[in-house]
Amino acid sequence: MYLCEDAVGLSDAYQRQIQGTNDSISVASKVLLDSLIRDPASAYRWLDLGQALSQAGALDQASYCVGRALQLGGDSADVALAAGDFYLRFGDRHTGLRELARTLLSTRSLDEPVFGLFEARGVSFDEILSYGMPEDKSAVQAYLSDAIEHRDVDRAEKIWKWMTDRHLDDEKNAIEYSSFLFYQHQFSQAATVWTSETAKFTPTVGPAPTYGDKEYLYNSGLTHEPLAGAVFDWAIIPTKSVTVRRDCQTQPSGCSVQIQFTGTENIDFKNVSQNVVLKPGEYRLRAVVRGTGITTDQGLFLEVKDGENEGLLDVQSDQLKGSSDWHAVQIPFRVDAATNYVNVVIRRKTSMRFDNKISGTVWITDLSLVRTR
């Protein structure tokens, strides 16, 4: 008879609501009303009854119950979420969206249900941004991440514009959004986003102020550690037989990338690289390099290749072998319209000789990629 244990009755009522017949909803409403009478201060009991009454078509009574739930538990994100869904379905859509915005403002744990309701209830993008999205960096970044996770380029673009118009963007989501565009083959748009955003946070990380204008390598002077996940910064892939680190002491000025081979592997090394989007034209990659004790017939060199099809572009500098003092190397190359982006790589190919395990250390600094024509 459910005289003592409320949970049993509630579970039975929920199951009857799922059945959805007139009789089952009628019984559920009575059980939930009895539960409310036993605990009238509970916002959740008011919500339960309101949801059952809405299924029965008693919308005025249901609306009263949801209103009481908000009065008693309006600070609860769960209550705001349920109320938001109710108002979206049966009441004032703007009120419902404002309740969902309050949900997003209070917690990140309910992002997925809120974003799911936007879609399930047919909320337009304009409605979401006008009423359902708080001007809160954490919330809007979560919404951008949701669009990226679902590979929704159009939605991500609109969210990004909304974010930047309100100065809610930062380095972290610039990395996320530009990388997303890049992997969706929106190369020019990705580069535009990255160039625009780096102009905002360059004072803290220090790449050349001419980046994207005269200098096309990001972090060309190795002025900061590569930004994790940034598709347009240096990508360094660790490997056990090579140590790669940023060195700001060995060279006369500035910083360099130091690459030390342990002599334990005949490695095909291409673990330091950067993607660059370039318009058609003629360019020059330049660097200042130094080496000590580089063994084997295959040394280290710089390479510029088409990021998608090496048959379109693949040029290399002279190899660095043995030991040498600081000196400049450069690669002139031409980019045609068929090339969407190039990949600048610090490279060493495997050797075919018996004595093929490479050892020694290389430093590379003053990297620069400029347009010559």
Side-chain angles (χ1 to χ4, degrees):
M1 296 177 63
Y2 309 137
L3 295 176
C4 300
E5 180 52 68
D6 210 31
V8 176
L10 290 174
S11 177
D12 179 73
Y14 299 152
Q15 290 299 318
R16 291 178 183 274
Q17 284 182 274
I18 293 172
Q19 293 174 17
T21 66
N22 291 336
D23 288 342
S24 65
I25 292 171
S26 176
V27 173
S29 298
K30 292 177 182 178
V31 173
L32 294 173
L33 176 60
D34 288 341
S35 178
L36 174 64
I37 292 172
R38 288 193 290 272
D39 190 5
S42 169
Y44 295 101
R45 298 292 77 78
W46 283 101
L47 275 178
D48 286 340
L49 181 59
Q51 289 170 345
L53 290 172
S54 69
Q55 284 184 277
L59 296 184
D60 289 342
Q61 294 172 295
S63 182
Y64 175 81
C65 290
V66 173
R68 283 292 293 149
L70 285 173
Q71 290 174 352
L72 294 168
D75 293 336
S76 166
D78 292 324
V79 171
L81 175 66
D85 185 32
F86 172 83
Y87 287 120
L88 276 180
R89 289 186 297 161
F90 305 112
D92 183 348
R93 285 176 69 84
H94 293 171
T95 299
L97 288 171
R98 281 193 288 267
E99 291 302 322
L100 295 183
R102 284 203 311 118
T103 305
L104 293 174
L105 195 59
S106 62
T107 180
R108 294 277 65 79
S109 64
L110 295 176
D111 289 341
E112 187 173 346
V114 171
F115 300 152
L117 284 176
F118 288 159
E119 182 176 357
R121 305 306 178 207
V123 183
S124 71
F125 195 80
D126 288 340
E127 284 181 305
I128 293 171
L129 296 187
S130 297
Y131 304 99
M133 184 59 55
E135 291 194 17
D136 172 76
K137 179 179 287 190
S138 175
V140 73
Q141 286 179 354
Y143 195 37
L144 176 66
S145 295
D146 181 77
I148 289 173
E149 182 179 348
H150 289 87
R151 300 183 182 179
D152 191 333
V153 175
D154 291 339
R155 177 158 64 103
E157 182 180 5
K158 292 175 181 177
I159 297 170
W160 181 256
K161 185 179 185 306
W162 193 84
M163 290 174 64
T164 54
D165 287 347
R166 289 158 180 78
H167 308 291
L168 298 175
D169 51 323
D170 61 19
E171 178 183 307
K172 178 179 178 294
N173 48 67
I175 291 172
E176 181 182 28
Y177 182 52
S178 60
S179 298
F180 165 70
L181 290 173
F182 183 86
Y183 292 119
Q184 294 300 308
H185 294 208
Q186 307 291 317
F187 302 113
S188 295
Q189 188 178 353
T192 298
V193 167
W194 183 250
T195 303
S196 173
E197 287 300 300
T198 55
K200 299 176 183 178
F201 58 72
T202 43
T204 62
V205 297
T210 56
Y211 171 70
D213 179 19
K214 297 180 180 179
E215 175 58 64
Y216 292 96
L217 277 181
Y218 181 73
N219 193 12
S220 58
L222 282 299
T223 51
H224 64 89
E225 293 289 347
L227 300 169
V231 76
F232 293 117
D233 201 350
W234 295 104
I236 300 176
I237 302 173
T239 178
K240 62 181 181 180
S241 63
V242 185
T243 300
V244 180
R245 71 181 187 93
R246 179 167 156 261
D247 180 5
C248 296
Q249 297 178 344
T250 305
Q251 58 286 341
S253 63
C255 297
S256 67
V257 56
Q258 182 194 74
I259 303 171
Q260 185 173 17
F261 297 94
T262 62
T264 59
E265 185 180 354
N266 180 22
I267 187 171
D268 181 7
F269 182 80
K270 45 188 173 183
N271 297 41
V272 181
S273 64
Q274 183 175 143
N275 300 309
V276 188
V277 174
L278 298 172
K279 295 179 179 179
E282 296 183 7
Y283 296 84
R284 182 184 67 243
L285 175 68
R286 181 184 184 277
V288 176
V289 301
R290 175 191 170 209
T292 60
I294 303 298
T295 62
T296 78
D297 63 315
Q298 292 295 325
L300 210 67
F301 58 90
L302 299 177
E303 180 180 41
V304 179
K305 61 181 180 178
D306 184 286
E308 298 172 296
N309 182 358
E310 294 183 20
L312 296 176
L313 173 65
D314 188 3
V315 292
Q316 304 167 5
S317 71
D318 292 336
Q319 292 190 31
L320 185 63
K321 302 178 185 179
S323 298
S324 63
D325 203 352
W326 292 105
H327 63 281
V329 296
Q330 59 183 12
I331 309 174
F333 63 96
R334 178 176 179 80
V335 173
D336 294 324
T339 295
N340 290 311
Y341 71 97
V342 303
N343 194 225
V344 176
V345 190
I346 300 174
R347 183 78 190 277
R348 185 263 181 180
K349 294 182 179 179
T350 54
S351 171
M352 300 301 293
R353 294 189 178 181
F354 179 77
D355 184 13
N356 56 30
K357 294 179 180 178
I358 184 172
S359 62
T361 305
V362 172
W363 291 265
I364 302 175
T365 189
D366 291 341
L367 287 138
S368 179
L369 198 167
V370 298
R371 182 165 185 156
T372 57
R373 189 174 177 182

